Amino acid sequence: MADGLWWVPSLVVAGVAVAALVGAVLGFRHLGHRREQAALAASRPLEIEAKSLIVRADTAVREGQAEVAFAEAQFDDATARTARASVDSAARWLREAFLLQQRLDDADPDTAAERRTWSARIIDLCEQALRTLADSDAALAARRRAEHGASIEGPVMQARARELAVRRREAAATLERLARRYAPSALGGAHGHLERADLALAAADDRLAEAAAAIATARPAAAASAGAAEALDRAERAIVAAGAVEAELAAATSAEAELAQRLELEASAARAERDGAVREEAVRDATGAPATSGQGTDGRAVARPAAADGAALVTAIAEANDVLASRAQRAGDPFAARDRLRIALDRLDAARAAARAAQSRLDGATRALGGALAIAESQLRAANEAIAHGGRRVGADARTRLAEAERQLVIARQEPDPVAALDAARRATSRASDAEALAAYDAMGR
């Protein structure tokens, strides 16, 4: 009997397992249901906010459509088109928000995640529509203020135009008075400013008339009023520039006198430098000291290294003298006279600097030449001794270097140009050093 009931324990275990599995499934489902309910409850404030924004956006769109109708009657087509485009965009976003809200309100069950996503999208669409409509309303309000300002500012700008016309006549009278003292070239810029002022005043009159006609016929006048204000600004700047010419002429006259005084002093100093250099060369020639000119090895005259710089200095001095002598002829145009003096002064400064630099190079080369010749002679003696010591073992390379060194030393002794002589002496030292090294190498290796 007991053997016939062996399956009872297995059945009990299986039943317990099935009961446990069913209980676990039911527990998980209940837990998931509770979590979903909690998520739905958490998303309800977002859904409430979305519904509130839909109401606000729908109201704003309706008001915007009414504003478009007013804009079409009050302003030009471009302004009305811009406002209508903003309202149409807002209405399109609102329609999408309504579709999403319909999904939230229908009888079909939705998950908490879906409801959160749709609510967030509704909020985004409504806020975008509200921002666009607010910008459009602000633009229309600014345009209305501009139109209102145009009707108020018209008389003010007309008074300003009359004032600028008076100032223009005063500037013209000042130019007529100055024309008796100064050349036409000095007043050409001021006359150009007056011409620009005339054009700007004429443009302002036209735009003011256009604005007045628009106001009288209830048409937009802001653009014409803004154009008139801009033209009046241009006219005022031109009149101020024309009126400033008298002060500019006085400043140029003062600067011209100051520059002339500086140029006289600089030219006198430059002449003293030039004369001192000439006397120094004469003393050198008389005492037999190293000169800066003479004859080269081929008997031809060798120019001084500073000759070009000296010629430039002479030219700059002559130009300065001419500019100073012709000051009276250019008194009618202080601007041109001032500029000529500046140019002459700059050229004289540059020529003096170049002459000083050239003289400094000559003096340095003259001082260094004696030592360079002594070094070259000493190196030549060392090279000769090395070749004599090596005898026939010394090859052609060393002997060629020595011959070149002797040739460069001859050039250095005969060259009247201290700079060229110094270079030749240094080349002689270098070639003699090479000859000594080659002779020593040949003596050891052969």
Side-chain angles (χ1 to χ4, degrees):
M1 183 69 175
D3 294 338
L5 297 176
W6 59 267
W7 50 271
V8 172
S10 299
L11 180 61
V12 172
V13 172
V16 171
V18 170
L21 178 61
V22 171
V25 170
L26 292 176
F28 278 120
R29 290 184 62 185
H30 180 67
L31 180 61
H33 179 70
R34 288 180 61 185
R35 289 179 176 174
E36 183 68 15
Q37 291 300 318
L40 288 172
S43 66
R44 286 194 184 97
L46 197 64
E47 296 178 14
I48 294 172
E49 182 183 359
K51 289 182 178 181
S52 175
L53 284 173
I54 280 182
V55 174
R56 287 178 54 192
D58 184 53
T59 303
V61 167
R62 294 175 186 274
E63 293 175 352
Q65 291 171 344
E67 284 292 323
V68 169
F70 290 138
E72 289 176 344
Q74 186 178 10
F75 303 121
D76 51 19
D77 293 339
T79 303
R81 279 197 304 270
T82 302
R84 181 170 292 282
S86 299
V87 173
D88 290 344
S89 298
R92 185 171 62 255
W93 295 324
L94 183 61
R95 285 194 296 271
E96 184 180 351
F98 278 139
L99 290 175
L100 293 173
Q101 186 62 45
Q102 179 63 35
R103 292 184 185 180
L104 292 172
D105 294 339
D106 60 19
D108 296 335
D110 304 314
T111 65
E114 290 175 336
R115 297 183 74 85
R116 265 196 317 273
T117 301
W118 295 340
S119 297
R121 177 59 178 166
I122 290 172
I123 292 173
D124 183 63
L125 290 169
C126 292
E127 288 179 345
Q128 191 172 0
L130 289 171
R131 284 195 301 270
T132 301
L133 292 172
D135 292 341
S136 178
D137 289 343
L140 290 175
R143 182 62 186 274
R144 290 191 179 96
R145 287 194 300 272
E147 294 296 337
H148 181 67
S151 62
I152 295 176
E153 294 175 358
V156 176
M157 286 192 290
Q158 290 174 354
R160 185 186 177 195
R162 290 192 294 271
E163 177 191 356
L164 289 175
V166 172
R167 290 171 58 185
R168 189 268 175 211
R169 289 193 293 271
E170 292 174 352
T174 300
L175 290 183
E176 290 179 2
R177 175 172 54 82
L178 292 175
R180 292 191 289 270
R181 295 175 51 196
Y182 296 103
S185 58
L187 303 176
H191 286 296
H193 291 313
L194 282 187
E195 291 176 0
R196 286 189 287 275
D198 292 338
L199 294 175
L201 288 173
D205 290 340
D206 293 341
R207 300 311 297 271
L208 286 172
E210 182 182 344
I215 293 172
T217 57
R219 290 184 291 107
S225 179
E230 182 182 355
L232 290 174
D233 290 340
R234 291 199 308 270
E236 184 171 12
R237 289 194 296 269
I239 292 171
V240 169
V245 67
E246 187 169 13
E248 292 173 356
L249 285 168
T253 301
S254 177
E256 190 271 345
E258 181 181 353
L259 287 170
Q261 184 177 4
R262 284 182 55 194
L263 185 60
E264 287 178 357
L265 294 175
E266 294 291 333
S268 177
R271 286 192 293 270
E273 291 177 3
R274 179 200 61 191
D275 296 342
V278 171
R279 286 194 298 270
E280 182 180 352
E281 291 299 333
V283 170
R284 286 179 178 176
D285 292 341
T287 59
T292 56
S293 68
Q295 290 183 341
T297 55
D298 56 358
R300 293 179 298 175
V302 177
R304 305 175 190 268
D309 299 306
L313 180 60
V314 171
T315 301
I317 293 172
E319 181 181 356
N321 292 334
D322 291 342
V323 172
L324 290 172
S326 62
R327 282 186 64 200
Q329 302 174 4
R330 299 181 180 276
D333 191 344
F335 300 125
R338 177 197 60 192
D339 294 341
R340 279 200 74 193
L341 286 168
R342 282 177 178 170
I343 293 172
L345 186 60
D346 291 342
R347 289 179 178 172
L348 184 60
D349 288 341
R352 290 181 68 190
R356 289 170 184 167
Q359 188 61 45
S360 177
R361 289 194 300 271
L362 283 174
D363 294 341
T366 301
R367 289 191 297 270
L369 181 57
L373 288 172
I375 293 172
E377 291 169 354
S378 175
Q379 189 61 53
L380 274 167
R381 286 194 296 270
N384 270 311
E385 291 174 0
I387 292 175
H389 179 73
R392 294 184 178 182
R393 289 175 296 175
V394 177
D397 292 340
R399 300 174 189 275
T400 302
R401 295 290 196 286
L402 179 61
E404 177 62 18
E406 291 172 346
R407 189 179 74 85
Q408 291 295 332
L409 182 58
V410 171
I411 293 174
R413 287 169 175 166
Q414 296 179 352
E415 176 61 55
D417 178 358
V419 176
L422 180 61
D423 292 339
R426 288 171 176 170
R427 286 195 298 272
T429 300
S430 176
R431 301 298 186 274
S433 177
D434 293 342
E436 182 186 8
L438 289 171
Y441 177 77
D442 291 342
M444 289 186 300
R446 296 186 182 182

